Amino acid sequence: MAPGARITSIDEVPERGSHLFTVSDLHGTDREVILVRCDEKPGVRAWVNVCPHEYHRLDRGRGAAMRDGEIIRPKHGSMFDACAGDCDNGEAAGTTLTAVEIAVDDGDVCLTDKRNTYRHEGGRDDEDGPNSTTHIGC
Ligand code: FES
């Protein structure tokens, strides 16, 4: 069993798009994180929901745009590898998304990053969402 909070089921992470959730960092600041599919084990990755170029959100509440294993940043068209988080094209070339540690345990995606505490599903403005008050440990 992986220690940490359950984020969602791996089956709930869209094949094209992202699953958005919010964590609280060590300073108590809420940060948005996205889960995206990845061809490498364990099959998903978690990235802070910010493009390093101009700090715009990758997922603005409707899922990040994805194509062929890459996250597309619509603002300037840069694409980030969904597994590695790096970008070799466009305005964001040479940057890498900020990773958040997760694990997959019996089909559940769990937050294992000691720098972040699970808050709720959805973005920072969705605090009153359906999963805002409870979550199950992994
Ligand atoms: S804001 Fe991401 S490429 Fe410019």
Side-chain angles (χ1 to χ4, degrees), residues 50-56 58 73-80 87 89-93:
V50 170
C51 175
H53 176 229
E54 287 185 351
Y55 301 99
H56 290 150
L58 300 161
R73 179 64 200 110
K75 172 91 175 172
H76 298 120
S78 286
M79 296 186 291
F80 295 84
C87 175
N89 57 85
E91 301 284 346

Side-chain angles (χ1 to χ4, degrees), residues 91-109:
E91 301 284 346
T95 66
T96 303
L97 301 176
T98 301
V100 173
E101 293 177 24
I102 55 164
V104 175
D105 181 56
D106 196 25
D108 289 330
V109 185

Side-chain angles (χ1 to χ4, degrees), residues 3-6 45 63 66 70 72 91 94 97 99 102 107 115 124:
R6 179 185 183 275
R45 292 288 189 274
M66 291 192 66
E70 296 193 297
I72 306 165
E91 301 284 346
L97 301 176
I102 55 164
R115 300 164 299 178
R124 288 187 299 185

Side-chain angles (χ1 to χ4, degrees), residues 8 13 17 27 38 43 54 72 89 91-92 97 108 110 120 128 136:
T8 189
V13 181
H27 305 288
C38 164
E54 287 185 351
I72 306 165
N89 57 85
E91 301 284 346
L97 301 176
D108 289 330
C110 307
H120 55 82
D128 295 328
I136 303 165

